[in-house]
Amino acid sequence: MRVRLTVNRDDLDLDLEPRRTLADTLRTGCGLTGTHLGCADGTCGACTVLVDGEAVRSCLMLGVQCDGAHVRTVEGLAVDHPLRAALTAPATPDGACVPGLVMLAAGAIDHDPDLSGDPGRLRRLLASNACRDAGHDAAEQAVIRAAAPEGR
Amino acid sequence: MKPAGLDYVAASSSGEVLAALAGGDASVLAGGQSLVLDVTTGDACPRRVVDINRVAEFDVLAEVDGMLRVGPLVRHRTFESDAVHGALGNLLRTIVRHIGHPPIRARGTMLGSMAYAHPAAEWPVVATVLDAEFDLTGPQGRRTLTPEHFFAGPFTTARRPEELLAEVRLPVLPAGTGAGFAEHRLTHAKFAETAAMAAVTVTDGLVSAAAIGLVNAGPCPVRARAAEKALVGTVFSDAAITAAAEAAADLDATAVRDPGAGRRDRRRAVRVLTRRALTQAREGL
């Protein structure tokens, strides 16, 4: 099935099998492996991307559903985006969950810029995602620190 | 692990939805937060998925003649806002934050949850307790069912494969109604083991109406009629709450046994959670 979608800055015309999830589409169809698959059943949120500005679990959407949509992945974060600092923070052992946490935060902060300076609310939002090793708190703190206005 | 040959239809009107469902062996895709997972794991193997997300007329939320009309594209998240006013809005706001996480609530829909009929889901119990009306549309037109007729068992409803759950209507609650919801789950990422909800109306110092429901306490959503009966007509006292909670646990719940909890544990959980939900409802008056 032909699907046209914009991924980050690229307008793509893809031939997709309907059974493929958006996560599959991004990783194998677009070569964007920054979107990680943790549980692949919607629990962990590691595969979070933005579809038309809204954070979604890309394992719970079909790629063909995104016909005409604008998808933003972690690769599409601007070079000077403050949340990029979280990706290289030393506190996250394997980094599997961080792109998802970063995209979840990025989408929410785009909607509500005040969130970046509100660690409590940000922390509650980031509880949507789970880290698969023991580093959830460290990963979460890395995102909260990167988001904080004084961190910029 | 992933089914080959899945057919995908993006419908743009309710006529197109019904035409696409008419072939049989099709699943309706609204929020997709359960369906896409079931398709991926193979728990569901539809030949066709009918995406209704582009049907603008399905995004309906309106209060008409004392009933809140909810269309198939109203997301859980809508009920976090003040989109629904009054006591019904309070009840829905109290409950919605127990559903999944923000990204799940941004996509998942109330009617999708009803049609999926997960035994641990919150909305089916709300609909059952409030005596909602379920409108199904299909090739033979429209029919309206009560919750008792709609919910047939775990993951099972009276919806025929070629039908769409087109609308659910929830009655508006009178002023002076307090809402409460309490649940037990192992972690925030898990489904509710058991939960209780309550909407209690007090008029002139006495309970004039009580709607009490239990999640995952029987094959279908449970309306705790014995607990309601114990409460109506009383002063909304601690003793009345205790009596209602006992009735919910002993008479209304069909305790489900699972590896995590025996029947006695489940009954005790129902009693405690019903008491908490009722106490919260009283505080919300």
Side-chain angles (χ1 to χ4, degrees):
Chain A
M1 185 180 165
R2 306 296 312 181
V3 173
R4 301 173 75 99
L5 72 165
T6 305
V7 179
N8 300 325
R9 287 185 187 78
D10 299 325
D11 295 325
L12 305 176
D13 186 346
L14 301 172
D15 188 16
L16 294 182
E17 284 182 84
R19 65 188 174 122
R20 296 274 173 215
T21 62
L22 176 58
D24 276 352
T25 303
L26 293 169
R27 288 178 58 83
T28 59
C30 307
L32 295 171
T33 53
T35 299
H36 296 163
L37 273 165
C39 63
D41 69 10
T43 304
C44 79
C47 64
T48 301
V49 300
L50 305 182
V51 175
D52 292 330
E54 193 77 67
V56 302
R57 277 143 153 77
S58 60
C59 69
L60 295 185
M61 255 186 113
L62 300 174
V64 289
Q65 282 185 269
C66 295
D67 192 17
H70 183 195
V71 179
R72 273 178 77 201
T73 69
V74 69
E75 289 90 345
L77 278 188
V79 186
D80 58 351
H81 197 292
L83 284 173
R84 276 193 170 248
L87 297 169
T88 50
T92 55
D94 65 9
C97 64
V98 185
L101 287 166
V102 163
M103 295 315 287
L104 179 63
I109 291 170
D110 283 348
H111 284 293
D112 177 8
D114 292 343
L115 197 58
S116 61
D118 191 338
R121 267 172 66 212
L122 200 46
R123 199 177 142 86
R124 281 196 294 281
L125 172 72
L126 294 175
S128 301
N129 289 15
C131 170
R132 68 179 182 178
D133 58 37
H136 184 88
D137 203 47
E140 199 174 73
Q141 286 305 323
V143 174
I144 290 170
R145 264 199 307 276
E150 60 268 29
R152 285 178 195 171
Chain B
M1 128 184 198
K2 293 176 186 170
L6 184 71
D7 180 26
Y8 170 85
V9 176
S12 56
S13 69
S14 65
E16 280 183 31
V17 172
L18 294 184
L21 289 174
D25 203 8
S27 293
V28 177
L29 172 60
Q33 302 300 284
S34 300
L35 178 66
V36 173
L37 175 61
D38 283 354
V39 166
T40 305
T41 58
D43 286 343
C45 300
R47 201 171 48 77
R48 168 182 284 179
V49 163
V50 183
D51 186 350
I52 63 168
N53 282 279
R54 288 162 209 262
V55 186
E57 66 199 90
F58 285 169
D59 193 11
V60 170
L61 182 71
E63 204 182 301
V64 180
D65 296 335
M67 301 290 270
L68 180 72
R69 298 176 52 199
V70 186
L73 278 184
V74 180
R75 317 279 169 181
H76 301 310
R77 181 174 64 184
T78 307
F79 301 100
E80 294 177 58
S81 71
D82 54 7
V84 184
H85 303 288
L88 178 60
N90 281 339
L91 175 70
L92 301 178
R93 264 191 300 281
T94 303
I95 291 170
V96 69
R97 62 192 173 84
H98 294 271
I99 300 173
H101 301 292
I104 304 281
R105 296 199 289 267
R107 289 210 62 81
T109 64
M110 178 184 265
L111 267 56
S113 168
M114 307 256 195
Y116 192 63
H118 193 296
E122 289 84 355
W123 293 142
V125 173
V126 176
T128 299
V129 165
L130 298 185
D131 250 337
E133 297 171 354
F134 290 76
D135 274 11
L136 295 158
T137 53
Q140 271 99 49
R142 185 174 281 251
R143 60 187 180 126
T144 302
L145 298 182
T146 62
E148 286 73 18
H149 285 107
F150 181 76
F151 294 110
F155 304 103
T156 312
T157 70
R159 185 180 71 85
R160 299 181 190 120
E162 68 278 12
E163 285 181 316
L164 173 78
L165 178 56
E167 183 171 289
V168 170
R169 288 182 296 280
L170 299 167
V172 170
L173 295 170
T177 301
F181 185 84
E183 72 174 2
H184 172 65
R185 53 181 163 180
L186 294 177
T187 77
H188 190 71
K190 303 270 189 193
F191 290 105
E193 301 281 307
T194 309
M197 62 143 289
V200 182
T201 312
V202 173
T203 313
D204 300 331
L206 295 178
V207 174
S208 55
I212 302 172
L214 306 173
V215 174
N216 216 4
C220 292
V222 172
R223 177 161 184 186
R225 291 183 189 275
E228 292 174 1
K229 206 173 154 209
L231 204 60
V232 172
T234 68
V235 177
F236 202 175
S237 62
D238 287 343
I241 287 176
T242 301
E246 299 281 348
D250 295 338
L251 302 172
D252 293 314
T254 315
V256 188
R257 188 154 65 165
D258 69 21
R263 289 198 174 90
R264 271 184 57 204
D265 293 342
R266 280 298 180 97
R267 287 206 188 276
R268 186 186 304 155
V270 167
R271 191 169 67 232
V272 170
L273 295 170
T274 304
R275 194 171 64 219
R276 286 183 193 163
L278 287 169
T279 305
Q280 191 189 344
R282 186 173 61 182
E283 284 161 3
L285 278 169

